[in-house]
Amino acid sequence: MRRLRNVKIVATLGPASSDYDSIRALFEAGADVFRLNMSHGTQDEQRARHDIVRQVEKDMGRPIAILADLQGPKLRCGTFSASAAELDEGNPFRFDLDETPGEGHRVCLPHPEIFAALKPGATLLVNDGKIRLRVQDCGPDFADCIVEVGGTISDRKGVNVPDVVLPLAALSDKDRSDLEFACQLGVDWLALSFVQRRQDMDEARQLAQGRAAVLAKIEKPAAVDAFPEILDASDGIMVARGDLGVELPVQAVPPIQKRLIHSCRRAGKPVIVATQMLESMIESPVPTRAEVSDVANAIYDGADAVMLSAESAAGSYPVEAVTTMDKVAIEVESDPTYREQIEASRVAKRSTVADGIVAAAREIAETTDIKAICCFTQSGTTAELTARERPRVPIIALTPLVGTARRLCLSWGTNCFVTAGDVERFKAAVVSAARAARSGGFAEEADQIVVTAGVPFNVPGTTNILRVAPCAERLIYATDPE
């Protein structure tokens, strides 16, 4: 099934999408990557969803990526004697370590690490930022605050601390267990939540041991500040606008999103834009105009992927949500303005032979009648560099490694094919590329393709050859060197 767009769609699985028929329907509607949200459901439930995706992949004959999204450390207040309390603007309120049920003037905050990091003047946000408090005085076991924005606070509501870098590891004990579980399952991507510093990514990569690519979710102000170092330590990025929009002024999120996308593209690493993209479709069969514009803007910015969360996991219209996203992407990418913006934002990075090869492939494809750029890749890097160029023609990524093919399902414009085995000679590589182009409906026998590869073959990081080749095999055998 050839997609008629380059941007990829990530769909979260959940109660509304847990059986074979619904997951297959999501794939057929346009989902390229399936997300397992480790914050919800048991490991057995996630294993069942993983197995169904792999069965759909087998039945459809096309690689599908699976992303396991780790929960991360959740900061929550304790309970109240009446299950809730009303906080009025201007009134005092205390957080402390006393586990006694809370009242209207105090509640337990069972996180001593928060108190250790707080300073007078810091902000505490409760219930996704609906309640805002300012710290007046604090110590190792308490924080006396003034309510700046009131509201109802109830049992175990989430607490955000935007002003300080908390001495918290991004991986909780649950996350470590889920990470090992996901790696043993064979997921392709791991998403690390509430990243604050490069060391968080280093720890996750060490635990993953190369069994999955590791992606950083940017949802903390500290992560925005440390983004260059985090990007360097990551295989990909998710702009997770939920908590980011809670901890930062909402008007700051769109420019941050644009800057992060641009940085990821410069680095040749995939970036997902996530959270509330089609939120109303949880309950409605059609989105709002603002939501459609939000999806479109992420695509215009050059994002590799856009993501559905509750819309596909728990909503009433999961297939319709994917279909809508697919249609928006096709419409945007057919707009001449989209191509103008993509090309105007192209980064001319030419520091390696591979950079030069993929740039030349794109330029040749766009100045002659070339139907596709076919790149042979072991690690996936060559395909990601080609995707960074955002060429006008399709990218065909060929690899003998099914794991690489699956991982590349997240990268812009890549159409992934698993070759029968290691290619030892360049002529065989060209033949394989021509067959993939024809079988995928990208080219006919009379057409030409660009083939990039590395010699010697099957060695990561050796992209050093480019060939304009015919799609007719008789011409390949007659003209190509061994």
Side-chain angles (χ1 to χ4, degrees):
M1 293 178 60
R2 178 184 173 182
R3 304 297 193 206
L4 300 178
R5 53 176 160 78
N6 292 302
V7 71
K8 302 301 180 71
I9 295 175
V10 182
T12 303
L13 299 181
S17 49
S18 288
D19 58 29
Y20 177 91
D21 289 341
S22 61
I23 293 174
R24 177 162 176 164
L26 290 176
F27 172 79
E28 292 177 336
D32 305 288
V33 181
F34 287 105
R35 171 175 172 257
L36 305 178
N37 187 355
M38 306 307 290
S39 298
H40 302 287
T42 65
Q43 289 186 351
D44 285 342
E45 289 172 334
Q46 302 294 13
R47 179 186 289 108
R49 290 168 184 146
H50 173 278
D51 292 347
I52 291 172
V53 173
R54 290 293 175 239
Q55 185 59 52
V56 171
E57 176 185 67
K58 180 180 178 181
D59 293 345
M60 301 305 295
R62 171 175 168 163
I64 301 174
I66 298 178
L67 182 155
D69 195 332
L70 304 178
Q71 176 177 289
K74 291 289 187 182
L75 305 178
R76 299 183 183 279
C77 68
T79 59
F80 290 83
S81 58
S83 298
E86 194 69 25
L87 304 190
D88 294 323
E89 181 179 336
N91 284 354
F93 190 81
R94 167 175 278 216
F95 291 99
D96 55 40
L97 293 177
D98 183 357
E99 296 182 0
T100 304
E103 303 291 344
H105 63 281
R106 63 154 295 274
V107 73
C108 178
L109 183 60
H111 300 285
E113 60 274 13
I114 292 182
F115 298 115
L118 282 179
K119 295 179 180 179
T123 300
L124 291 175
L125 304 173
V126 182
N127 191 17
D128 290 336
K130 295 180 175 68
I131 298 173
R132 179 184 294 268
L133 306 101
R134 182 76 60 184
V135 177
Q136 301 291 300
D137 188 21
C138 55
D141 58 356
F142 77 96
D144 287 329
C145 308
I146 291 293
V147 179
E148 292 189 338
V149 179
T152 302
I153 180 173
S154 55
D155 293 348
R156 298 187 180 87
K157 283 299 180 183
V159 178
N160 294 78
V161 190
D163 298 338
V164 295
V165 177
L166 296 175
L168 284 172
L171 289 164
S172 65
D173 290 341
K174 169 179 165 55
D175 294 325
R176 291 170 181 271
S177 171
D178 287 342
L179 185 151
E180 183 60 29
F181 165 76
C183 286
Q184 290 185 9
L185 268 186
V187 303
D188 310 294
W189 285 90
L190 291 166
L192 188 61
S193 298
F194 299 110
V195 173
Q196 297 186 94
R197 54 185 81 81
R198 180 193 176 110
Q199 290 83 349
D200 296 332
M201 296 307 300
D202 291 338
E203 181 185 5
R205 293 178 73 90
Q206 185 176 9
L207 292 171
Q209 296 180 329
R211 293 174 291 175
V214 184
L215 176 152
K217 294 173 66 178
I218 306 301
E219 48 194 337
K220 301 282 289 181
V224 176
D225 294 337
F227 185 71
E229 295 80 17
I230 291 171
L231 176 61
D232 183 61
S234 305
D235 296 306
I237 294 293
M238 181 188 295
V239 185
R241 303 174 306 174
D243 278 87
L244 198 60
V246 170
E247 299 204 6
L248 286 168
V250 291
Q251 67 271 17
V253 176
I256 288 172
Q257 174 178 311
K258 290 180 182 293
R259 292 202 305 270
L260 299 189
I261 291 173
H262 183 74
S263 296
C264 290
R265 186 175 167 196
R266 179 189 295 270
K269 295 183 178 183
V271 55
I272 306 169
V273 176
T275 316
Q276 296 182 335
M277 301 217 79
L278 294 175
E279 184 85 355
S280 69
M281 291 195 74
I282 296 172
E283 297 177 347
S284 170
V286 294
T288 67
R289 276 64 170 173
E291 288 167 341
V292 170
S293 293
D294 182 37
V295 174
N297 281 328
I299 298 169
Y300 277 114
D301 289 341
D304 289 80
V306 286
M307 192 177 96
L308 297 167
S309 298
E311 301 97 326
S312 59
S316 300
Y317 303 95
V319 174
E320 290 85 350
V322 174
T323 300
T324 297
M325 198 164 262
D326 180 70
K327 288 180 177 179
V328 172
I330 292 171
E331 188 71 22
V332 168
E333 292 184 10
S334 65
D335 177 14
T337 304
Y338 168 76
R339 179 45 59 181
E340 290 172 6
Q341 291 190 201
I342 288 296
E343 294 182 357
S345 61
R346 180 177 293 127
V347 179
K349 184 175 180 179
R350 306 286 186 270
S351 58
T352 68
V353 171
D355 289 330
I357 291 287
V358 298
R362 191 258 310 159
E363 290 174 2
I364 291 169
E366 293 179 356
T367 54
T368 59
D369 189 19
I370 298 295
K371 298 300 182 182
I373 298 173
C374 304
C375 47
F376 282 82
T377 182
Q378 287 282 116
S379 64
T381 301
T382 303
E384 288 179 340
L385 292 177
T386 306
R388 182 184 69 191
E389 293 289 319
R390 301 295 194 260
R392 296 183 178 219
V393 300
I395 302 167
I396 299 176
L398 300 108
T399 177
L401 305 177
V402 66
T404 297
R406 289 168 174 165
R407 182 166 67 84
L408 287 171
C409 291
L410 189 57
S411 292
W412 185 97
T414 54
N415 301 273
C416 305
F417 289 79
V418 180
T419 57
D422 288 348
V423 176
E424 300 294 342
R425 293 182 179 276
F426 187 65
K427 182 179 286 188
V430 175
V431 170
S432 295
R435 288 176 179 174
R438 296 196 311 269
S439 67
F442 300 97
E444 304 292 338
E445 279 224 354
D447 295 323
Q448 289 185 310
I449 55 175
V450 170
V451 181
T452 64
V455 178
F457 279 101
N458 308 315
V459 178
T462 60
T463 302
N464 56 14
I465 192 167
L466 181 153
R467 167 79 163 98
V468 177
C471 281
E473 290 184 35
R474 58 182 177 78
L475 297 178
I476 297 173
Y477 284 114
T479 60
D480 272 45
E482 289 296 326

